[in-house]
């Protein structure tokens, strides 16, 4: 099972909320690291991390809202990839996803 399939499987499981919370936290940590790194594209990468976190919090909020909203689970990873690519932050997204998957792997939802 590839990384995209693992993410979709978790998003369709009872571990969705824990995964999203962990993912948002990991991206926030990445944004903080980007600024301390001082690279030439730090602002662009941090902005991309911020945009991804906004999408994640929208998903969490949609879970709590009776009217739904948010993105379809099957499209969510593509949305995050688009935002990551806009700021050259795909490595930060990958690290955050892998870490968030580990946070839910104890219940088997990550496909490990």
């Amino acid at each position: 099972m590839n990384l995209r399939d693992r993410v979709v499987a978790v998003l369709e499981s009872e571990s969705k909320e824990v995964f999203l919370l962990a993912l948002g936290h990991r991206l926030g940590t990445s944004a903080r690291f980007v600024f301390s790194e001082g690279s030439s594209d730090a602002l662009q990468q941090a902005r991309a991390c911020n945009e991804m976190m906004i999408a994640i919090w929208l998903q969490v909020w949609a879970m709590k809202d009776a009217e739904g909203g948010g993105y379809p689970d099957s499209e969510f990873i593509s949305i995050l990839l688009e935002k990551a690519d806009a700021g050259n932050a795909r490595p930060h997204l990958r690290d955050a996803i892998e870490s968030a998957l580990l946070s839910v792997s104890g219940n088997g939802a990550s496909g490990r």
Side-chain angles (χ1 to χ4, degrees):
M1 186 179 288
N2 66 31
L3 193 61
R4 179 183 296 265
D5 292 340
R6 290 171 55 205
V7 169
V8 171
V10 170
L11 292 175
E12 293 174 347
S13 76
E14 293 179 10
S15 298
K16 179 178 182 174
E17 185 174 7
V18 171
F19 173 77
L20 290 172
L21 292 173
L23 183 61
H25 177 264
R26 301 319 193 272
L27 281 170
T29 303
S30 287
R32 182 173 53 196
F33 173 75
V34 166
F35 281 119
S36 69
E37 192 176 38
S39 67
S40 62
D41 60 348
L43 182 59
Q44 185 179 8
Q45 289 181 6
R47 192 173 286 143
C49 288
N50 184 63
E51 289 299 321
M52 289 184 280
M53 287 187 293
I54 290 169
I56 291 163
W57 303 139
L58 174 65
Q59 288 300 97
V60 172
W61 189 261
M63 292 175 66
K64 307 293 184 190
D65 187 6
E67 294 181 24
Y71 303 102
D73 291 337
S74 61
E75 296 175 23
F76 188 62
I77 187 71
S78 295
I79 300 295
L80 293 179
L81 286 167
E82 180 181 311
K83 293 177 183 307
D85 289 344
N88 195 30
R90 194 176 274 221
H92 298 290
L93 176 58
R94 182 174 187 87
D95 289 347
I97 287 172
E98 289 175 349
S99 180
L101 285 170
L102 286 174
S103 73
V104 297
S105 66
N107 63 15
S110 68
R112 288 190 169 197

